Amino acid sequence: MDHCTTLTWSLALVLALATTGSWRNFVETAETGKGSLEELYGWKVLDYAWPSEESRDGAIARGDYIPKNNIIVGIKAWKERLFISVPRWHPGVPSTLNWVPYNFSEGFGGSPRSTPLNPFPSWEMQEAGNCSAIQFVQSMEIDPLGRMWVLDVGRRKIFTDTPDNRCPPKLVLLDLKQDNRVLHTFVFPDDVASHTHSFLNDLVVDVSGGGDGSDWYAYISDARGPPDSGGGIVVYHLGTDRAWRVYDKASMNVETGAGSEAVVGGKMTKLRANVDGIGLAPLAEGADQVFYAPLGSFNLYSLPTSLLRNPPADPSEVTRAVVNLGRRTSQGDGMALDSTGAMYFGLLGQDGIGRWPGEARIKQGNPSEAEALALDPIRLQWVDSFGFDNINKYLLTLSNRIQILLEHNADEVNFRLFRIKINAKSYMYPN
């Protein structure tokens, strides 16, 4: 769908729904999945569970809490908690990794909540400028053993003219079963993830290496990287505590032309990030393929995990191994696969969520044939990341209206968390 068509579609939809006053009904009829989209949380402005009102006032006075600079970008679930990341793109973000309660019954039909965020694992671990603490979490993953793999970008205020590069990027493993203690911290070498340029964006965990979790891998998208190369995929092996970088210029960087911009929520938006969304084939398929896409690209690509785990000395072999799976109907931010092999991704230019069934993907279909799982020009502006409720078999997602970053209207709901029944678990679990 080209940009003119997208804008025309959006305007026509707005007029039609304004006439009927039926935003929510539109979402229900547009869904082709197994359940209805349930909005669990909705915030106009993000706030925190401060130790006291005095501490909140002090943070505002010092500039440590600037409400307009706080947005949500990542979501994961573990038992009765939803974990939420708030990026430190700009100053004034007091806590970058947080949680809110997840105790919603089946068929939740209440009004969305706007609960304050609880810093995780503690306020002390959120100290900006303390490189031993967590500095900037863009994304995280929780494996079947209850370990949270926290991706700490390290760098802060990266969307300003004066980024703070004093802390290096690192991966922190927290044990959710044992008092949320730190199990391990790995600091990325500068030649793998540049301490002054990288933007470690998202990750998936390959659990195919054995039940005790000692031989598992993480595949991480780096949306920025050094100026001479750009985006790449960083591979971390827990077994040897090593990391390396895999790079392909054509597939891991922003497209030129139409792919680098989209109409999101009626606003023309530049899409400058390189490789961004990343997904992994499910355990039932042997976790044999990593899927990825730059933010500024319609195309969806894949590489075999065997190559990522054992990268060739000749970079041209990586290029030859890349598979271009085809063009989606819109660019997307995050992506995820469930235990059946179905792939989910945001449809930025259509204000919605796409679902590409596993059987269609395996038969070498085209992602442009993905179904619209949900569309909503108000509530689904900039669908960002995904997670799974593996107990009740829901897909979790969020929207954050990044296209109006720093211009959010505090009188409107800007950040939303959703779930939708899919009757499947995460890619890390048997089908």
Side-chain angles (χ1 to χ4, degrees):
M1 183 180 292
D2 61 37
H3 300 137
C4 292
T5 302
T6 301
L7 185 56
T8 300
W9 179 88
S10 297
L11 290 174
L13 183 59
V14 167
L15 289 173
L17 296 179
T19 301
T20 63
S22 182
W23 298 106
R24 187 173 297 272
N25 287 342
F26 171 76
V27 176
E28 292 174 353
T29 57
E31 288 164 356
T32 56
K34 298 170 182 174
S36 296
L37 195 68
E38 298 178 287
E39 184 176 340
L40 307 180
Y41 282 92
W43 295 271
K44 296 178 180 179
V45 177
L46 297 181
D47 206 345
Y48 298 83
W50 298 91
S52 66
E53 192 64 29
E54 290 75 17
S55 63
R56 182 182 187 276
D57 293 342
I60 292 175
R62 293 188 303 271
D64 293 339
Y65 174 43
I66 303 173
K68 71 173 184 176
N69 289 355
N70 290 253
I71 69 169
I72 57 175
V73 296
I75 181 172
K76 292 294 182 288
W78 176 257
K79 295 186 176 179
E80 294 185 348
R81 289 183 176 184
L82 292 178
F83 294 94
I84 299 168
S85 61
V86 180
R88 282 177 165 152
W89 293 340
H90 291 88
V93 178
S95 178
T96 185
L97 181 59
N98 310 275
W99 68 272
V100 292
Y102 182 51
N103 52 5
F104 299 91
S105 62
E106 287 281 335
F108 169 75
S111 299
R113 303 178 186 178
S114 54
T115 304
L117 309 186
N118 300 276
F120 183 80
S122 64
W123 273 110
E124 290 73 22
M125 280 293 287
Q126 306 296 326
E127 184 182 353
N130 177 359
C131 297
S132 296
I134 297 170
Q135 295 303 295
F136 163 13
V137 178
Q138 182 77 16
S139 188
M140 57 281 180
E141 183 60 285
I142 302 173
D143 70 28
L145 300 180
R147 300 178 300 184
M148 179 184 285
W149 301 55
V150 180
L151 191 58
D152 187 349
V153 177
R155 306 169 61 224
R156 295 180 294 113
K157 300 186 285 187
I158 63 174
F159 288 177
T160 72
D161 294 332
T162 56
D164 186 335
N165 298 327
R166 80 183 81 172
C167 294
K170 60 183 183 287
L171 190 63
V172 182
L173 267 67
L174 301 176
D175 191 343
L176 302 186
K177 292 183 176 180
Q178 296 290 330
D179 300 322
N180 308 319
R181 64 189 178 96
V182 176
L183 291 171
H184 183 62
T185 298
F186 176 82
V187 176
F188 290 97
D190 193 59
D191 61 343
V192 174
S194 169
H195 296 189
T196 57
H197 290 95
S198 284
F199 178 12
L200 300 181
N201 186 79
D202 204 354
L203 79 162
V204 288
V205 177
D206 184 346
V207 304
S208 63
D212 67 355
S214 62
D215 196 39
W216 292 358
Y217 289 80
Y219 309 116
I220 302 163
S221 60
D222 185 351
R224 189 163 290 179
D228 58 345
S229 62
I233 294 178
V234 172
V235 181
Y236 170 71
H237 182 215
L238 181 60
T240 57
D241 200 30
R242 293 176 51 246
W244 51 91
R245 187 181 186 88
V246 176
Y247 170 69
D248 174 61
K249 182 176 181 179
S251 66
M252 297 183 186
N253 288 315
V254 173
E255 289 182 18
T256 58
S260 63
E261 59 185 24
V263 176
V264 185
K267 178 182 175 63
M268 181 63 75
T269 307
K270 300 295 184 182
L271 306 175
R272 299 305 192 200
N274 296 315
V275 58
D276 183 302
I278 190 166
L280 180 63
L283 194 60
E285 296 176 25
D288 61 347
Q289 295 287 321
V290 160
F291 305 92
Y292 62 93
L295 178 65
S297 175
F298 286 93
N299 288 322
L300 179 66
Y301 302 95
S302 72
L303 274 169
T305 53
S306 57
L307 180 143
L308 293 173
R309 293 193 297 264
N310 297 283
D314 182 358
S316 66
E317 292 186 36
V318 176
T319 298
R320 288 194 291 272
V322 172
V323 176
N324 185 344
L325 298 169
R327 293 174 71 82
R328 298 164 293 175
T329 56
S330 173
Q331 306 95 322
D333 197 330
M335 72 173 72
L337 283 88
D338 68 22
S339 55
T340 73
M343 179 185 292
Y344 304 88
F345 43 77
L347 300 171
L348 293 182
Q350 296 168 266
D351 302 319
I353 304 166
R355 179 183 183 272
W356 193 19
E359 55 270 24
R361 174 180 56 80
I362 293 170
K363 291 178 181 177
Q364 297 183 335
N366 194 293
S368 64
E369 300 167 355
E371 59 195 12
L373 186 64
L375 300 170
D376 189 323
I378 298 299
R379 297 193 298 156
L380 294 179
Q381 291 182 26
W382 203 293
V383 171
D384 200 318
S385 63
F386 297 91
F388 294 90
D389 170 356
N390 293 304
I391 297 174
N392 301 299
K393 298 186 177 181
Y394 282 92
L395 177 73
L396 303 166
T397 191
L398 63 88
S399 65
N400 52 26
R401 306 175 80 184
I402 290 179
Q403 80 277 7
I404 52 174
L405 183 65
L406 302 184
E407 299 175 3
H408 291 112
N409 184 342
D411 293 327
E412 298 175 354
V413 176
N414 294 295
F415 317 111
R416 294 175 164 93
L417 300 185
F418 305 94
R419 72 178 182 182
I420 185 169
K421 191 81 168 182
I422 59 169
N423 294 322
K425 297 183 178 182
S426 155
Y427 64 94
M428 291 181 286
Y429 290 80
N431 184 17

